[in-house]
Amino acid sequence: MNYKDIEIVTLDSSNIKDAYSLHTEVFPQTISYQQFGKKYSTNYSGFSNISQIAYYKNIPIAFNGFLPALIYHQEGKIRAAQSCDSITLEKYRRHGIWSQVILKSYEKIKENNCDFVIGFFTEISRKAFLKLNWKISKNRVFYFNIQVQPIPGWKIFTRFYPGNEILWLKNKLSNYFEISESIENILNDENACSYIYNPEYINYKISLTSFIIKVDELKFWVKPKSYFEIGAVEYKDKSSLRKGIEKLKNILKKFFFQEILIYAPLNSKLYADLEEMYKPFPGWEIGFFDFSDNFSGENIMCNSADIDTY
């Protein structure tokens, strides 16, 4: 391979179809073109495009997606970025192309005055990013498995329902709970860095696959899968949290959900309160790479709702 024939360019409206074609080749049938386009339409944040595509002789061969992240800290707002889609076609792997695309992405990210980048690690991505001198946050995301009933009826229902079962469920749940357009990120009250849940961000994130419900004094940001995932919680105290979960369980029995999974970062109040009620299991590790001495990603706290696929 002649590396002079490799061109790395910034993602924009003229080449997003190339990025999507790479995505579908590696991750088939996981996201529609419309959803992919919305995911990388991040004008709400004030960032310019920061993702990069690599071409070899005008053929798209690699893509590295980064999304803007507006982060709250007690000393002020911080700009950061989240690594999400990292794709290299199999034929072109082990040639250092992915590293080149990442480094080019760093240039664009720094142009947007970001202090650090973060990523939700899988076992594969963990090894790759640690080679690029990323570090691991102390605030790993854990999940708590809450049993609703023994029979997994929702899994069976979704196999045969002809329409969008998430929209159907959202409509049905609106008979029991208020559907909300906002949620407070309680992690902003921790001595850490965490995402800002402003109206623009919530409007950008909520799609056909997730929504927010209000259960008495609580709000749950939910994403129904084969289980009922709760990616963020707004609540006042442990007593109201316990009551809200029990009320939600009783309603979800009507829809044959077998389990609820609530995610919470280690060292957070939510984690401490949930741990007194349920057993925690290790979930996502959060990696970070610092660009400046002003703020570090070391103290980042994330909800699972913050991940790009939520």
Side-chain angles (χ1 to χ4, degrees), residues 11-40 52-53 55 60 62-64 85 87 89:
L11 179 71
D12 59 28
S13 59
S14 69
N15 56 31
I16 193 167
K17 286 186 177 180
D18 292 336
Y20 182 67
S21 69
L22 289 168
H23 189 279
T24 54
E25 187 159 344
V26 178
F27 307 109
Q29 299 179 338
T30 56
I31 186 172
S32 69
Y33 177 68
Q34 181 183 12
Q35 290 173 311
F36 189 81
K38 180 185 177 183
K39 176 177 175 177
Y40 287 102
Q52 303 293 313
I53 308 176
Y55 292 85
F63 172 66
N64 193 263
D85 299 309
I87 301 163
L89 295 182

Short mmCIF file of all heavy atoms in Angstrom, two decimals, residues 11-40 52-53 55 60 62-64 85 87 89:
data_model
loop_
_atom_site.label_atom_id
_atom_site.label_comp_id
_atom_site.label_asym_id
_atom_site.label_seq_id
_atom_site.Cartn_x
_atom_site.Cartn_y
_atom_site.Cartn_z
N LEU A 11 -15.62 14.91 7.96
CA LEU A 11 -16.98 14.54 7.64
C LEU A 11 -17.83 15.78 7.37
O LEU A 11 -17.77 16.78 8.10
CB LEU A 11 -17.60 13.77 8.81
CG LEU A 11 -19.06 13.31 8.65
CD1 LEU A 11 -19.15 12.19 7.63
CD2 LEU A 11 -19.62 12.86 9.99
N ASP A 12 -18.63 15.75 6.28
CA ASP A 12 -19.59 16.80 6.00
C ASP A 12 -20.74 16.21 5.18
O ASP A 12 -20.79 15.00 4.96
CB ASP A 12 -18.94 17.99 5.28
CG ASP A 12 -18.30 17.63 3.96
OD1 ASP A 12 -18.76 16.67 3.31
OD2 ASP A 12 -17.33 18.30 3.56
N SER A 13 -21.65 17.06 4.76
CA SER A 13 -22.84 16.56 4.06
C SER A 13 -22.51 15.90 2.73
O SER A 13 -23.29 15.08 2.23
CB SER A 13 -23.82 17.72 3.83
OG SER A 13 -23.21 18.75 3.06
N SER A 14 -21.35 16.22 2.16
CA SER A 14 -21.00 15.66 0.85
C SER A 14 -20.44 14.23 0.94
O SER A 14 -20.43 13.52 -0.06
CB SER A 14 -19.97 16.56 0.15
OG SER A 14 -18.71 16.51 0.82
N ASN A 15 -19.98 13.83 2.12
CA ASN A 15 -19.36 12.50 2.23
C ASN A 15 -19.97 11.63 3.33
O ASN A 15 -19.47 10.55 3.62
CB ASN A 15 -17.85 12.63 2.45
CG ASN A 15 -17.49 13.47 3.67
OD1 ASN A 15 -18.23 13.51 4.64
ND2 ASN A 15 -16.36 14.15 3.59
N ILE A 16 -21.07 12.09 3.95
CA ILE A 16 -21.64 11.31 5.04
C ILE A 16 -22.17 9.97 4.55
O ILE A 16 -22.20 8.98 5.28
CB ILE A 16 -22.74 12.11 5.77
CG1 ILE A 16 -23.08 11.40 7.10
CG2 ILE A 16 -23.97 12.30 4.89
CD1 ILE A 16 -23.90 12.22 8.05
N LYS A 17 -22.55 9.89 3.27
CA LYS A 17 -22.99 8.60 2.72
C LYS A 17 -21.84 7.59 2.71
O LYS A 17 -22.05 6.39 2.90
CB LYS A 17 -23.56 8.78 1.31
CG LYS A 17 -24.93 9.43 1.28
CD LYS A 17 -25.51 9.44 -0.12
CE LYS A 17 -26.92 10.02 -0.12
NZ LYS A 17 -27.51 10.04 -1.48
N ASP A 18 -20.62 8.08 2.47
CA ASP A 18 -19.45 7.19 2.51
C ASP A 18 -19.23 6.67 3.93
O ASP A 18 -18.90 5.49 4.12
CB ASP A 18 -18.21 7.93 2.02
CG ASP A 18 -18.26 8.27 0.55
OD1 ASP A 18 -19.00 7.58 -0.19
OD2 ASP A 18 -17.58 9.22 0.13
N ALA A 19 -19.39 7.55 4.92
CA ALA A 19 -19.24 7.12 6.31
C ALA A 19 -20.30 6.09 6.66
O ALA A 19 -20.02 5.09 7.34
CB ALA A 19 -19.33 8.32 7.24
N TYR A 20 -21.52 6.32 6.20
CA TYR A 20 -22.60 5.37 6.49
C TYR A 20 -22.37 4.02 5.81
O TYR A 20 -22.65 2.97 6.41
CB TYR A 20 -23.95 5.95 6.05
CG TYR A 20 -25.11 5.05 6.36
CD1 TYR A 20 -25.49 4.80 7.68
CD2 TYR A 20 -25.83 4.43 5.34
CE1 TYR A 20 -26.55 3.96 7.98
CE2 TYR A 20 -26.91 3.59 5.63
CZ TYR A 20 -27.26 3.36 6.95
OH TYR A 20 -28.31 2.52 7.24
N SER A 21 -21.83 4.05 4.60
CA SER A 21 -21.56 2.78 3.91
C SER A 21 -20.52 1.97 4.67
O SER A 21 -20.61 0.74 4.76
CB SER A 21 -21.09 3.04 2.48
OG SER A 21 -19.81 3.64 2.44
N LEU A 22 -19.51 2.64 5.24
CA LEU A 22 -18.53 1.95 6.07
C LEU A 22 -19.19 1.37 7.32
O LEU A 22 -18.90 0.24 7.72
CB LEU A 22 -17.41 2.92 6.47
CG LEU A 22 -16.44 3.35 5.36
CD1 LEU A 22 -15.59 4.52 5.84
CD2 LEU A 22 -15.55 2.19 4.94
N HIS A 23 -20.06 2.16 7.92
CA HIS A 23 -20.74 1.72 9.14
C HIS A 23 -21.58 0.48 8.89
O HIS A 23 -21.54 -0.49 9.66
CB HIS A 23 -21.61 2.86 9.68
CG HIS A 23 -22.18 2.61 11.04
ND1 HIS A 23 -23.32 1.84 11.24
CD2 HIS A 23 -21.77 3.00 12.27
CE1 HIS A 23 -23.57 1.79 12.53
NE2 HIS A 23 -22.67 2.48 13.19
N THR A 24 -22.34 0.48 7.80
CA THR A 24 -23.23 -0.65 7.53
C THR A 24 -22.45 -1.90 7.13
O THR A 24 -22.92 -3.02 7.35
CB THR A 24 -24.23 -0.30 6.42
OG1 THR A 24 -23.52 0.16 5.26
CG2 THR A 24 -25.19 0.78 6.88
N GLU A 25 -21.27 -1.70 6.57
CA GLU A 25 -20.46 -2.87 6.20
C GLU A 25 -19.91 -3.58 7.42
O GLU A 25 -19.79 -4.80 7.45
CB GLU A 25 -19.32 -2.46 5.27
CG GLU A 25 -18.55 -3.64 4.70
CD GLU A 25 -17.79 -3.30 3.43
OE1 GLU A 25 -18.08 -2.26 2.82
OE2 GLU A 25 -16.90 -4.08 3.07
N VAL A 26 -19.59 -2.80 8.46
CA VAL A 26 -19.04 -3.38 9.68
C VAL A 26 -20.14 -3.70 10.70
O VAL A 26 -20.08 -4.70 11.41
CB VAL A 26 -18.00 -2.42 10.31
CG1 VAL A 26 -17.44 -3.00 11.61
CG2 VAL A 26 -16.85 -2.18 9.32
N PHE A 27 -21.16 -2.83 10.76
CA PHE A 27 -22.28 -3.01 11.70
C PHE A 27 -23.60 -3.02 10.93
O PHE A 27 -24.35 -2.04 10.96
CB PHE A 27 -22.31 -1.90 12.74
CG PHE A 27 -21.01 -1.69 13.47
CD1 PHE A 27 -20.23 -0.56 13.23
CD2 PHE A 27 -20.57 -2.61 14.41
CE1 PHE A 27 -19.04 -0.36 13.91
CE2 PHE A 27 -19.38 -2.42 15.08
CZ PHE A 27 -18.61 -1.29 14.83
N PRO A 28 -23.90 -4.08 10.21
CA PRO A 28 -25.10 -4.11 9.37
C PRO A 28 -26.39 -4.03 10.19
O PRO A 28 -26.51 -4.61 11.25
CB PRO A 28 -24.99 -5.45 8.64
CG PRO A 28 -24.12 -6.29 9.50
CD PRO A 28 -23.15 -5.36 10.15
N GLN A 29 -27.34 -3.23 9.66
CA GLN A 29 -28.70 -3.16 10.19
C GLN A 29 -28.77 -2.69 11.64
O GLN A 29 -29.67 -3.09 12.39
CB GLN A 29 -29.39 -4.53 10.06
CG GLN A 29 -29.51 -5.02 8.63
CD GLN A 29 -30.17 -6.37 8.53
OE1 GLN A 29 -30.20 -7.14 9.48
NE2 GLN A 29 -30.71 -6.67 7.35
N THR A 30 -27.85 -1.84 12.06
CA THR A 30 -27.92 -1.33 13.42
C THR A 30 -28.51 0.08 13.49
O THR A 30 -28.99 0.49 14.54
CB THR A 30 -26.53 -1.31 14.07
OG1 THR A 30 -25.64 -0.53 13.24
CG2 THR A 30 -25.98 -2.71 14.22
N ILE A 31 -28.50 0.81 12.39
CA ILE A 31 -28.97 2.19 12.39
C ILE A 31 -29.34 2.58 10.96
O ILE A 31 -28.67 2.17 10.01
CB ILE A 31 -27.88 3.14 12.96
CG1 ILE A 31 -28.39 4.57 13.11
CG2 ILE A 31 -26.61 3.10 12.11
CD1 ILE A 31 -27.41 5.48 13.85
N SER A 32 -30.40 3.35 10.81
CA SER A 32 -30.82 3.78 9.48
C SER A 32 -29.96 4.97 9.03
O SER A 32 -29.30 5.63 9.84
CB SER A 32 -32.29 4.19 9.49
OG SER A 32 -32.47 5.40 10.23
N TYR A 33 -29.99 5.25 7.74
CA TYR A 33 -29.24 6.40 7.22
C TYR A 33 -29.75 7.69 7.84
O TYR A 33 -28.97 8.59 8.15
CB TYR A 33 -29.35 6.45 5.70
CG TYR A 33 -28.66 7.65 5.09
CD1 TYR A 33 -27.26 7.77 5.11
CD2 TYR A 33 -29.39 8.67 4.50
CE1 TYR A 33 -26.62 8.87 4.57
CE2 TYR A 33 -28.76 9.78 3.95
CZ TYR A 33 -27.38 9.87 3.98
OH TYR A 33 -26.75 10.97 3.45
N GLN A 34 -31.06 7.79 8.04
CA GLN A 34 -31.64 8.98 8.65
C GLN A 34 -31.12 9.16 10.08
O GLN A 34 -30.76 10.28 10.47
CB GLN A 34 -33.17 8.87 8.66
CG GLN A 34 -33.87 10.08 9.26
CD GLN A 34 -35.38 9.91 9.33
OE1 GLN A 34 -35.89 8.80 9.14
NE2 GLN A 34 -36.09 10.98 9.59
N GLN A 35 -31.09 8.09 10.85
CA GLN A 35 -30.59 8.18 12.23
C GLN A 35 -29.10 8.50 12.25
O GLN A 35 -28.63 9.26 13.11
CB GLN A 35 -30.86 6.86 12.96
CG GLN A 35 -32.32 6.60 13.24
CD GLN A 35 -32.56 5.22 13.81
OE1 GLN A 35 -32.07 4.21 13.29
NE2 GLN A 35 -33.31 5.14 14.90
N PHE A 36 -28.34 7.92 11.32
CA PHE A 36 -26.91 8.18 11.24
C PHE A 36 -26.66 9.66 10.94
O PHE A 36 -25.78 10.29 11.54
CB PHE A 36 -26.28 7.30 10.16
CG PHE A 36 -24.78 7.32 10.13
CD1 PHE A 36 -24.04 6.54 11.00
CD2 PHE A 36 -24.09 8.11 9.21
CE1 PHE A 36 -22.65 6.55 10.98
CE2 PHE A 36 -22.71 8.12 9.17
CZ PHE A 36 -21.98 7.33 10.05
N GLY A 37 -27.44 10.20 10.01
CA GLY A 37 -27.29 11.61 9.67
C GLY A 37 -27.63 12.52 10.84
O GLY A 37 -26.93 13.51 11.09
N LYS A 38 -28.68 12.17 11.58
CA LYS A 38 -29.05 12.97 12.75
C LYS A 38 -27.96 12.91 13.82
O LYS A 38 -27.65 13.91 14.46
CB LYS A 38 -30.38 12.47 13.34
CG LYS A 38 -30.81 13.26 14.56
CD LYS A 38 -32.06 12.70 15.21
CE LYS A 38 -32.40 13.50 16.47
NZ LYS A 38 -33.57 12.96 17.18
N LYS A 39 -27.39 11.73 13.97
CA LYS A 39 -26.34 11.54 14.98
C LYS A 39 -25.18 12.50 14.76
O LYS A 39 -24.63 13.06 15.72
CB LYS A 39 -25.86 10.09 14.94
CG LYS A 39 -24.70 9.75 15.86
CD LYS A 39 -24.39 8.26 15.76
CE LYS A 39 -23.18 7.87 16.54
NZ LYS A 39 -22.92 6.42 16.51
N TYR A 40 -24.80 12.70 13.50
CA TYR A 40 -23.65 13.55 13.20
C TYR A 40 -24.05 14.96 12.79
O TYR A 40 -23.20 15.73 12.32
CB TYR A 40 -22.77 12.88 12.14
CG TYR A 40 -22.00 11.72 12.72
CD1 TYR A 40 -22.41 10.40 12.51
CD2 TYR A 40 -20.89 11.94 13.52
CE1 TYR A 40 -21.71 9.34 13.07
CE2 TYR A 40 -20.19 10.89 14.10
CZ TYR A 40 -20.61 9.59 13.87
OH TYR A 40 -19.93 8.55 14.44
N GLN A 52 -13.65 12.14 10.98
CA GLN A 52 -12.75 12.03 9.83
C GLN A 52 -12.99 10.73 9.05
O GLN A 52 -13.27 9.69 9.64
CB GLN A 52 -11.29 12.07 10.28
CG GLN A 52 -10.90 13.31 11.09
CD GLN A 52 -10.95 14.58 10.27
OE1 GLN A 52 -10.43 14.63 9.16
NE2 GLN A 52 -11.57 15.62 10.82
N ILE A 53 -12.85 10.82 7.72
CA ILE A 53 -12.93 9.67 6.83
C ILE A 53 -11.62 9.52 6.08
O ILE A 53 -11.05 10.52 5.60
CB ILE A 53 -14.07 9.81 5.80
CG1 ILE A 53 -15.39 10.14 6.48
CG2 ILE A 53 -14.22 8.52 5.00
CD1 ILE A 53 -16.52 10.38 5.50
N TYR A 55 -9.70 7.84 2.78
CA TYR A 55 -9.92 7.29 1.43
C TYR A 55 -8.59 6.73 0.91
O TYR A 55 -7.53 7.34 1.13
CB TYR A 55 -10.41 8.36 0.47
CG TYR A 55 -11.80 8.87 0.75
CD1 TYR A 55 -12.02 9.89 1.68
CD2 TYR A 55 -12.91 8.34 0.08
CE1 TYR A 55 -13.30 10.37 1.93
CE2 TYR A 55 -14.19 8.82 0.32
CZ TYR A 55 -14.38 9.83 1.25
OH TYR A 55 -15.64 10.29 1.49
N PRO A 60 -13.59 4.93 0.20
CA PRO A 60 -13.62 5.06 1.67
C PRO A 60 -13.21 3.77 2.35
O PRO A 60 -13.76 2.70 2.05
CB PRO A 60 -15.09 5.41 1.96
CG PRO A 60 -15.85 4.89 0.79
CD PRO A 60 -14.94 5.01 -0.40
N ALA A 62 -11.86 3.91 5.99
CA ALA A 62 -11.86 4.02 7.45
C ALA A 62 -12.62 5.28 7.87
O ALA A 62 -12.67 6.27 7.14
CB ALA A 62 -10.44 4.08 8.00
N PHE A 63 -13.21 5.19 9.04
CA PHE A 63 -13.98 6.31 9.58
C PHE A 63 -13.80 6.35 11.09
O PHE A 63 -13.83 5.31 11.75
CB PHE A 63 -15.46 6.17 9.24
CG PHE A 63 -16.35 7.18 9.91
CD1 PHE A 63 -16.26 8.52 9.59
CD2 PHE A 63 -17.29 6.78 10.85
CE1 PHE A 63 -17.09 9.45 10.19
CE2 PHE A 63 -18.13 7.71 11.47
CZ PHE A 63 -18.03 9.05 11.13
N ASN A 64 -13.60 7.54 11.62
CA ASN A 64 -13.57 7.71 13.07
C ASN A 64 -14.53 8.82 13.46
O ASN A 64 -14.33 9.97 13.10
CB ASN A 64 -12.16 8.03 13.57
CG ASN A 64 -12.07 7.87 15.08
OD1 ASN A 64 -12.18 8.83 15.80
ND2 ASN A 64 -11.87 6.65 15.55
N ASP A 85 -17.92 5.89 16.71
CA ASP A 85 -17.72 4.89 15.66
C ASP A 85 -16.27 4.86 15.19
O ASP A 85 -15.77 5.84 14.63
CB ASP A 85 -18.63 5.20 14.47
CG ASP A 85 -20.10 5.17 14.85
OD1 ASP A 85 -20.51 4.17 15.45
OD2 ASP A 85 -20.81 6.14 14.55
N ILE A 87 -14.05 2.65 12.67
CA ILE A 87 -14.24 1.64 11.62
C ILE A 87 -13.07 1.64 10.65
O ILE A 87 -12.68 2.70 10.14
CB ILE A 87 -15.54 1.92 10.83
CG1 ILE A 87 -16.75 1.91 11.78
CG2 ILE A 87 -15.72 0.93 9.70
CD1 ILE A 87 -17.98 2.57 11.20
N LEU A 89 -12.04 -0.94 7.29
CA LEU A 89 -12.36 -2.15 6.55
C LEU A 89 -11.28 -3.20 6.77
O LEU A 89 -10.08 -2.87 6.85
CB LEU A 89 -12.50 -1.85 5.06
CG LEU A 89 -13.66 -0.92 4.67
CD1 LEU A 89 -13.70 -0.76 3.15
CD2 LEU A 89 -14.99 -1.46 5.17
#
